[in-house]
Amino acid sequence: MSQQSQNQIEPTRDHYQSFTHSVVTTGGTTGVAVAANVSRRYLLIQNNDTSDPAFIKIGAAAVANQGIKIVAGGSYEMSRRNGNLSTEAVNCIQGNSAEVLLITEGVNRTS
């Protein structure tokens, strides 16, 4: 599992039917950042906050200072190529105020 900067991430459309982009507002309680999706083949979660880290857990409630930490301005990428792809829900907890995660999800090509 790795954290990467935006300019290192280069998913290609060759492997995916389509990408969806969404914005999720998080806060001091655990919540679903990305719903479970059996068609998922790629997921990028970017922490758009300038100071607070985000903590994510895959398939379980997120807890501060546990799970996968995404530093402020950082990101977490899931893919088959990275060997860490999960189709389970991804839950997140962040600081006490409304903070933003940027989500990009690629789904399986059907043809």
Side-chain angles (χ1 to χ4, degrees):
M1 295 186 221
S2 64
Q3 289 185 353
Q4 300 180 4
S5 65
Q6 282 181 289
N7 50 355
Q8 291 176 322
I9 299 163
E10 299 178 17
T12 62
R13 287 202 175 272
D14 297 340
H15 303 288
Y16 313 103
Q17 177 186 9
S18 64
F19 287 99
T20 57
H21 305 279
S22 57
V23 175
V24 176
T25 302
T26 64
T29 59
T30 188
V32 176
V34 186
N37 185 346
V38 296
S39 296
R40 179 183 303 140
R41 296 297 175 260
Y42 176 83
L43 183 66
L44 173 65
I45 302 171
Q46 297 173 305
N47 180 358
N48 202 41
D49 194 75
T50 58
S51 60
D52 288 335
F55 295 91
I56 62 172
K57 279 199 175 177
I58 300 164
V63 178
N65 299 309
Q66 294 183 16
I68 300 166
K69 179 181 181 179
I70 305 174
V71 298
S75 62
Y76 181 74
E77 180 182 37
M78 275 197 268
S79 69
R80 283 185 175 173
R81 181 175 44 188
N82 288 346
N84 64 343
L85 180 67
S86 173
T87 59
E88 294 180 85
V90 178
N91 297 294
C92 179
I93 192 168
Q94 219 163 347
N96 292 322
S97 61
E99 295 164 359
V100 173
L101 295 178
L102 306 175
I103 310 294
T104 300
E105 185 174 38
V107 297
N108 195 27
R109 183 170 36 192
T110 58
S111 57

